[in-house]
Amino acid sequence: MIRLVVGLGNPGKEYERTRHNAGFWLVERFASSKGIALRKDGKFKALVGRIEGSSPASAAWLLLPQSFMNASGQPVQMLAGFFRIKPDEILVIHDELDFPPGVAKLKQGGGIAGHNGLKDISQRLATHEYWRLRLGVGKPPAGREGADYVLEKPPAEERAAIDAAIEKSLGVLPLCLSGDMQSAMHQLHTEDKPPAKKEPEKKEVPVKEPEKKEPEKKGLFSSLIGRKK
């Protein structure tokens, strides 16, 4: 069961549309769709929202650290410690250079591939065994540094692909919150197949029956000639 959903990004207007803020985009969209207010909490150095459960113990939290990416771990550690949330009950949503725009993958643990936000979270929690939802933003062009690339705004076509991946991820988030991670992974990782094209219906051409010819009637004269004597 996921009790804490963390979106990674950098605070401030200058960063809000950059690739590094993909985690913010998803959490903000989820909060908006559920009518959840994300309020600034100075104690946790983050924007925090509460997802109501059937009981106080089953409530979950949304967290957007406001301490910049390389210090994302402190708000996560503080809120998780305050509410006694274990690492395997945490889902961190972040941008992923290894996937092209439009791809989203869910996994637990694993390497952090130089992501500064994940690096700080892992150090603060003393483990990699939290869950991660990775939103592909694509690799930088040859000769470009990843650190610069993620701080740029994606072009419209890439942003549309990332938004489509976010939309699909929003569909599996309730499964994550309920603890059904296997179903969430299956649904998220299954590619949508385009609808099959319908073959045009072939119209049957009616076959014309050959016209029946009436046998020719011989005249009386012909019949008389043809008689044998």
Side-chain angles (χ1 to χ4, degrees), residues 175-187:
L175 291 171
C176 296
L177 291 166
S178 69
D180 192 355
M181 305 305 284
Q182 292 302 317
S183 294
M185 284 190 284
H186 177 74
Q187 184 173 320

Side-chain angles (χ1 to χ4, degrees), residues 52 68 77 142 152:
E52 299 297 339
F68 288 96
Q77 180 190 33
E152 295 173 352

Side-chain angles (χ1 to χ4, degrees), residues 181-202:
M181 305 305 284
Q182 292 302 317
S183 294
M185 284 190 284
H186 177 74
Q187 184 173 320
L188 186 62
H189 300 172
T190 301
E191 292 186 11
D192 295 326
K193 294 182 180 179
K197 291 182 179 179
K198 289 185 178 180
E199 294 291 332
E201 292 182 6
K202 293 181 180 179

Side-chain angles (χ1 to χ4, degrees), residues 10-18 21 25 159:
N10 286 306
K13 289 282 184 184
E14 60 189 298
Y15 298 109
E16 65 182 12
R17 295 186 181 180
T18 64
N21 276 38
W25 300 343
R159 176 61 195 257

Side-chain angles (χ1 to χ4, degrees), residues 108-126:
Q108 184 179 18
I112 58 176
H115 194 292
N116 287 332
L118 298 176
K119 181 180 178 181
D120 195 55
I121 291 172
S122 294
Q123 287 178 344
R124 293 277 185 171
L125 298 179

Side-chain angles (χ1 to χ4, degrees), residues 1-218:
M1 180 176 177
I2 296 299
R3 298 179 57 209
L4 172 58
V5 179
V6 182
L8 293 189
N10 286 306
K13 289 282 184 184
E14 60 189 298
Y15 298 109
E16 65 182 12
R17 295 186 181 180
T18 64
R19 294 180 178 95
H20 226 13
N21 276 38
F24 272 19
W25 300 343
L26 195 155
V27 171
E28 286 168 346
R29 197 174 301 180
F30 179 76
S32 176
S33 69
K34 300 296 181 183
I36 299 170
L38 294 170
R39 295 189 174 90
K40 191 166 185 177
D41 191 316
K43 179 172 60 179
F44 297 125
K45 299 181 181 178
L47 296 177
V48 179
R50 179 185 170 99
I51 306 170
E52 299 297 339
S54 55
S55 66
S58 64
W61 300 90
L62 301 176
L63 181 77
L64 298 182
Q66 300 295 291
S67 51
F68 288 96
M69 185 65 78
N70 60 358
S72 299
Q74 187 178 16
V76 176
Q77 180 190 33
M78 292 171 67
L79 190 142
F82 187 84
F83 291 107
R84 299 183 180 181
I85 298 172
K86 297 180 289 187
D88 63 358
E89 296 175 325
I90 298 173
L91 173 63
V92 178
I93 304 169
H94 64 90
D95 56 304
E96 177 61 72
L97 292 173
D98 288 337
F99 298 152
V103 173
K105 299 284 185 182
L106 184 65
K107 77 168 187 175
Q108 184 179 18
I112 58 176
H115 194 292
N116 287 332
L118 298 176
K119 181 180 178 181
D120 195 55
I121 291 172
S122 294
Q123 287 178 344
R124 293 277 185 171
L125 298 179
T127 182
H128 294 304
E129 293 307 303
Y130 47 89
W131 286 88
R132 292 161 50 190
L133 201 168
R134 301 172 289 167
L135 296 170
V137 296
K139 288 184 178 295
R144 295 289 310 281
E145 291 291 331
D148 296 328
Y149 176 77
V150 295
L151 293 179
E152 295 173 352
K153 298 175 185 178
E157 188 176 347
E158 288 183 15
R159 176 61 195 257
I162 296 168
D163 284 342
I166 288 174
E167 194 64 32
K168 189 171 183 180
S169 300
L170 290 173
V172 306
L173 209 49
L175 291 171
C176 296
L177 291 166
S178 69
D180 192 355
M181 305 305 284
Q182 292 302 317
S183 294
M185 284 190 284
H186 177 74
Q187 184 173 320
L188 186 62
H189 300 172
T190 301
E191 292 186 11
D192 295 326
K193 294 182 180 179
K197 291 182 179 179
K198 289 185 178 180
E199 294 291 332
E201 292 182 6
K202 293 181 180 179
K203 293 183 179 179
E204 292 186 6
V205 179
V207 179
K208 290 185 178 180
E209 294 288 336
E211 294 181 3
K212 293 181 180 180
K213 293 184 178 180
E214 294 289 333
E216 292 182 5
K217 294 180 180 180
K218 295 182 179 180

